[in-house]
């Protein structure tokens, strides 16, 4: 739900990621190391800072191009859209927010799902798009994840979800919460059937997404320095009334505390996924 | 009533007056007709106030200081209760109580959030906000119930899972997530009741049931009204507005038609005004649902629970 806050706070990740993709932005300032870098250089480096290794947020489409074999991706449920069934209204109606997000993104919602291949190995994948309402999980995201996992069950092929989300979508209140149960329940079936689930955590993955399917990978993989946690850093600071230590809730912190299996560079992501898939699907 | 909310005050005042008149009554002075009149007035006033509660007022009732907590319901609904402690890994979490008991002779497991009443016990119970250990203890007990073929009763009453450094270090998210997955696969009946505050993932982590009930004045939402207001308007004090937007009352959630199975009526004035009646209502519902679920096999229970949560979707295609 961080996308609300960003309206008032200094624009960080989203805008920089955009800058990275803007042709007229010749130079980009890295949010992590403050270096001014030639934008083309960052792009050539898969949107990773060549100076400090900071992994900029990327779109779902860019992620798909990066990880799946060229031309292998077949999208499913592309037309599924959110509904304002509660008549939720804050400064703006949810209905209006959906409309604006749809216009900006050209359709869809906060996740893109489909089937494809990684080095020739069939996979069912879901990729979050943080730029769509902060990657928040409402009915659409929960339903698409559940369906792609059911697809994995049906095809007996591994499921990979790339998360980037502020958590549950507040505007769908209780039904957003229930998506956590739904997406976790289907994983019990995958486990029983021996279908592998790989969860890739990218910046940021927090709240109800972390506290459901995203932490339940047979393998939990994280990109470097990604923010990953249950409660937001601000909420924790307000509760305990002290500053959080450096590196708190970053990928490296989660690795140290035993919550993720490995941290994988974006450049090595595809090869590493293929390596794991071959081990887990040896027949 | 030890504590009262603003909107309860007129009722409390009248009741105080009635008590005083009773005290003044002697063999020579008879206030019985006045008392009768005031009692009628008090009932009318209470009915009136409680017939048009706002969502925020219902939230306040759900959090009422005198509201019965899990251990109160255990005392009034079950017999033979014994508590078990610890997650066998790190520590015991007093914010979530677990144990075994009997419901009219029928052995069962009971799990629930627990809040404290005075300052000391509130701190001890961490205001009903569990750490990962609490959720892991709950899962341990649920698995034990499955092992012994016992139905599980869960009572939900938490502002949310505790947001702290230790909780993050020890995997709060993983603990909640694992419960969601494992509860989905339990082969025994799971009956969940939201008794007070159903706060976000911290509530859901013990709430994946074959049946989910809500007490009349309980609330259930993805985020607390204050948390929601802090995000929407950077102002936690606008909780009352956020409560309206979140549609978090038992009636709201019942109207969605796919999330809860029953709204359990509370005594007029709220469960805190009559523990015995509140518990009797709850017990009747629990027995009814248990009876229905006992007709299903383990496999059917898993499938029924899966399909129940699978259907919680509102999208446009
Ligand atoms: Zn950098």
């Amino acid at each position: 739900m961080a996308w609300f806050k960003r309206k008032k706070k200094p624009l960080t990740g989203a805008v920089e990621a955009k800058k990275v993709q803007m042709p007229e932005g010749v130079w980009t300032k890295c949010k992590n190391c403050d270096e001014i870098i030639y934008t083309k250089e960052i792009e050539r480096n898969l949107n990773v800072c060549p100076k400090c290794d900071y992994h900029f947020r990327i779109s779902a489409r860019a992620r798909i191009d990066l990880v799946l074999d060229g031309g292998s991706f077949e999208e499913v449920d592309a037309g599924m859209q959110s509904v304002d069934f509660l008549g939720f209204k804050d400064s703006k109606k949810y209905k209006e927010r959906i409309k604006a997000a749809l216009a900006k993104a050209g359709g869809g919602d906060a996740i893109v799902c489909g089937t494809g291949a990684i080095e020739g190995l069939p996979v069912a994948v879901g990729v979050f798009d943080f730029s769509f309402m902060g990657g928040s999980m409402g009915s659409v995201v929960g339903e698409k994840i559940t369906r792609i996992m059911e697809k994995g069950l049906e095809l007996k092929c591994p499921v990979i979800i790339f998360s980037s989300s502020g958590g549950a979508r507040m505007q769908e209140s209780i039904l957003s919460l229930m998506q956590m149960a739904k997406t976790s329940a289907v994983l019990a079936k995958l486990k029983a059937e021996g279908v592998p689930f790989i969860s890739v955590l990218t910046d940021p993955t927090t709240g109800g997404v972390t506290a459901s399917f995203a932490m339940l990978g047979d393998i939990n993989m994280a990109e470097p320095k990604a923010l990953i946690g249950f409660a937001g850093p601000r909420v924790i600071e307000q509760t305990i009334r002290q500053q959080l230590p450096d590196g708190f809730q970053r990928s490296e912190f989660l690795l140290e505390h035993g919550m993720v299996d490995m941290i994988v560079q974006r450049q090595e992501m595809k090869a590493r996924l293929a390596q794991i898939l071959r081990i887990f699907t040896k027949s | 009533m030890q504590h009262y909310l603003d909107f309860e005050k007129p009722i409390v005042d009248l009741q105080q007056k009635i008590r005083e008149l009773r005290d003044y009554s002697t063999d020579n002075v008879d206030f019985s007709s006045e008392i009768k009149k005031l009692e009628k007035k008090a009932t009318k006033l209470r009915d009136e106030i409680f017939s048009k509660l706002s969502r925020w007022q219902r939230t306040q009732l759900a959090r009422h200081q005198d509201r019965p907590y899990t251990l109160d319901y255990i005392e009034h609904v079950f017999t033979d209760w014994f508590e078990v402690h610890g997650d066998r890994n790190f520590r015991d979490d007093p914010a979530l109580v677990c144990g075994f008991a009997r419901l009219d002779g029928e052995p069962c497991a009971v799990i629930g959030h627990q809040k404290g009443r005075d300052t000391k016990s509130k701190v001890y119970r961490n205001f009903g906000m569990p750490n990962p250990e609490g959720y892991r203890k709950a899962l341990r007990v649920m698995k034990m119930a499955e092992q012994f073929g016992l139905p599980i009763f869960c009572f939900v009453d938490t502002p949310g899972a505790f947001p702290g450094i230790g909780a993050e270090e020890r995997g709060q998210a993983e603990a909640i997530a694992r419960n969601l997955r494992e509860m989905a696969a339990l082969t025994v009946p799971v009956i969940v009741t939201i008794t007070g505050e159903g706060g976000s993932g911290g509530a859901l982590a013990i709430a994946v049931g074959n049946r989910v009930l809500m007490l009349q004045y309980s609330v259930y939402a993805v985020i607390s009204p204050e948390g929601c207001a802090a995000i929407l308007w950077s102002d936690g004090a606008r909780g009352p507005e956020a409560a309206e937007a979140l549609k978090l009352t038992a009636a709201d959630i019942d109207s969605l038609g796919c999330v809860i199975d029953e709204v359990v009526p509370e005594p007029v004035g709220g469960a805190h005004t009559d523990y015995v009646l509140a518990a009797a209502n709850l017990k009747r519902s629990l027995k009814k649902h248990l009876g229905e679920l006992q007709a299903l096999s383990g496999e059917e229970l898993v499938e029924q629970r899966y399909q129940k949560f699978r259907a919680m979707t509102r999208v446009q295609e």
Side-chain angles (χ1 to χ4, degrees):
Chain A
M1 282 167 289
W3 60 283
F4 269 106
K5 280 180 238 156
R6 199 169 303 104
K7 298 214 132 160
K8 291 204 173 144
K9 296 196 102 188
L11 303 174
T12 51
V15 152
E16 259 140 352
K18 207 173 183 182
K19 255 192 226 157
V20 171
Q21 289 151 7
M22 274 195 309
E24 64 269 30
V26 178
W27 300 95
T28 299
K29 186 175 166 188
C30 172
K31 133 183 184 184
N32 187 55
C33 68
D34 288 340
E35 286 276 341
I36 310 284
I37 302 152
Y38 189 44
T39 304
K40 280 251 159 53
E41 201 185 335
I42 298 178
E43 281 170 0
R44 268 199 301 273
N45 202 32
L46 307 177
N47 287 326
V48 174
C49 174
K51 295 280 183 288
C52 74
D53 197 35
Y54 177 76
H55 284 53
F56 288 88
R57 288 171 194 161
I58 57 173
S59 70
R61 302 287 164 187
R63 176 77 61 182
I64 288 163
D65 288 347
L66 197 76
V67 173
L68 296 184
D69 296 345
S72 72
F73 184 66
E74 281 181 43
E75 188 170 357
V76 295
D77 302 318
M80 199 189 294
Q81 289 184 358
S82 294
V83 185
D84 178 20
F85 52 86
L86 291 179
F88 194 101
K89 184 173 179 274
D90 47 88
S91 57
K92 221 168 150 189
K93 286 181 180 164
Y94 179 38
K95 207 181 280 176
E96 302 300 319
R97 289 192 190 277
I98 297 169
K99 218 190 251 171
L102 282 172
K104 191 176 139 208
D109 206 278
I111 195 167
V112 176
C113 291
T115 54
I118 295 179
E119 295 188 8
L121 304 159
V123 286
V125 296
V127 187
F128 273 78
D129 213 320
F130 191 80
S131 64
F132 195 105
M133 294 181 85
S136 56
M137 175 162 72
S139 273
V140 168
V141 170
E143 182 65 18
K144 284 174 84 165
I145 288 175
T146 307
R147 285 191 196 177
I148 201 65
M149 286 176 176
E150 286 173 340
K151 191 92 171 165
L153 262 178
E154 178 199 324
L155 303 174
K156 295 264 182 267
C157 86
V159 179
I160 309 174
I161 307 281
F162 298 84
S163 295
S164 179
S165 169
R169 188 173 296 176
M170 214 160 44
Q171 292 86 346
E172 294 183 23
S173 194
I174 194 70
L175 278 196
S176 291
L177 185 67
M178 293 306 143
Q179 303 314 308
M180 293 170 61
K182 198 168 92 181
T183 55
S184 302
V186 64
L187 283 173
K189 295 201 169 196
L190 266 71
K191 224 170 181 44
E193 295 294 319
V195 174
F197 169 50
I198 301 175
S199 176
V200 182
L201 305 142
T202 74
D203 186 59
T205 303
T206 60
V209 167
T210 323
S212 60
F213 66 90
M215 266 294 144
L216 295 174
D218 293 304
I219 296 290
N220 289 339
M221 183 185 287
E223 281 197 328
K225 299 189 182 84
L227 175 74
I228 303 164
F230 172 65
R234 268 205 342 181
V235 174
I236 299 174
E237 274 181 344
Q238 280 162 9
T239 306
I240 61 171
R241 292 171 201 286
Q242 66 189 67
Q243 267 216 313
L244 296 170
D246 267 359
F248 182 67
Q249 294 182 316
R250 295 287 159 181
S251 305
E252 296 72 19
F253 172 94
L254 273 94
L255 183 71
E256 188 190 331
H257 287 92
M259 298 303 151
V260 299
D261 292 285
M262 60 187 80
I263 295 174
V264 179
Q265 298 280 329
R266 193 169 287 166
Q267 291 91 326
E268 292 157 16
M269 182 77 67
K270 181 172 183 176
R272 180 51 64 89
L273 286 169
Q275 181 191 15
I276 295 168
L277 292 174
R278 282 196 196 92
I279 297 275
F280 286 0
T281 56
K282 60 178 170 16
S283 56
Chain B
M1 225 188 289
Q2 286 180 310
H3 307 88
Y4 56 84
L5 302 164
D6 284 350
F7 63 87
E8 289 181 299
K9 184 149 194 319
I11 307 166
V12 174
D13 286 348
L14 262 182
Q15 283 166 342
Q16 177 63 25
K17 226 181 251 169
I18 293 166
R19 253 195 310 275
E20 279 165 13
L21 278 181
R22 280 215 181 93
D23 289 346
Y24 292 141
S25 298
T26 63
D27 289 344
N28 303 330
V29 198
D30 180 18
F31 289 117
S32 60
S33 70
E34 282 87 345
I35 291 175
K36 224 177 192 163
K37 241 194 328 209
L38 282 181
E39 276 175 339
K40 224 173 150 184
K41 197 174 159 193
T43 306
K44 201 175 151 220
L45 184 66
R46 195 188 56 188
D47 289 353
E48 214 178 276
I49 290 172
F50 275 76
S51 69
K52 48 183 184 200
L53 292 172
S54 70
R55 292 188 172 94
W56 178 245
Q57 287 171 324
R58 284 166 187 266
T59 306
Q60 290 177 296
L61 278 174
R63 297 169 173 173
H64 200 291
Q65 278 245 45
D66 295 333
R67 197 164 172 85
Y69 297 145
T70 295
L71 288 172
D72 301 307
Y73 285 116
I74 287 172
E75 186 189 329
H76 286 91
V77 173
F78 300 91
T79 58
D80 257 354
W81 158 255
F82 61 92
E83 189 173 350
V84 298
H85 294 277
D87 67 342
R88 295 293 189 272
N89 185 41
F90 183 65
R91 64 160 210 157
D92 186 45
D93 188 344
L96 221 162
V97 294
C98 301
F100 296 89
R102 287 177 191 272
L103 180 68
D104 274 348
E106 189 88 38
C108 58
V110 184
I111 288 164
H113 299 100
Q114 181 65 38
K115 295 176 175 175
R117 294 213 187 271
D118 53 37
T119 306
K120 199 176 150 199
S121 68
K122 278 180 185 166
V123 171
Y124 174 64
R125 300 291 182 185
N126 200 30
F127 304 88
M129 293 187 283
N131 274 276
E133 303 77 64
Y135 297 114
R136 290 177 178 136
K137 170 172 68 175
L139 183 58
R140 179 172 78 86
V141 170
M142 289 191 263
K143 292 280 193 186
M144 221 191 312
E146 185 176 48
Q147 180 186 344
F148 300 123
L150 307 177
I152 301 166
F153 294 98
C154 296
F155 299 105
V156 173
D157 186 14
T158 181
F162 184 63
I165 291 181
E168 295 286 327
E169 286 175 333
R170 298 191 299 278
Q172 187 73 286
E174 193 272 348
I176 293 170
R178 179 181 294 265
N179 279 19
L180 301 181
R181 184 186 67 199
E182 298 299 314
M183 282 190 87
L186 291 168
T187 54
V188 291
V190 181
I191 300 173
V192 175
T193 309
I194 317 294
T195 59
E197 279 181 280
S200 194
L204 186 65
I206 59 163
V208 184
N210 296 92
R211 296 283 191 276
V212 180
L213 322 179
M214 283 184 79
L215 294 193
Q216 188 178 355
Y217 299 121
S218 67
V219 294
Y220 201 7
V222 69
I223 187 170
S224 71
E226 290 88 344
C228 179
I231 291 170
L232 290 182
W233 304 295
S234 306
D235 182 4
R238 290 173 74 178
E241 286 166 74
E244 287 299 318
L246 284 167
K247 308 275 196 299
L248 76 185
T249 70
D252 289 329
I253 290 167
D254 194 36
S255 74
L256 288 173
C258 61
V259 178
I260 59 171
D261 300 279
E262 189 188 341
V263 178
V264 181
E266 293 187 28
V268 185
H272 59 288
T273 62
D274 190 342
Y275 280 27
V276 174
L277 180 56
N281 288 350
L282 177 57
K283 183 173 179 177
R284 200 178 315 117
S285 293
L286 295 179
K287 286 194 66 170
K288 185 189 93 179
H289 290 289
L290 179 62
E292 291 168 11
L293 294 173
Q294 277 172 331
L296 303 181
S297 70
E299 210 171 297
E300 286 168 334
L301 284 167
V302 173
E303 192 55 20
Q304 185 269 337
R305 201 182 303 119
Y306 184 77
Q307 293 306 337
K308 174 180 169 63
F309 283 82
R310 184 72 188 80
M312 295 182 192
T313 303
R314 287 281 179 87
V315 298
Q316 183 190 314
E317 288 187 85

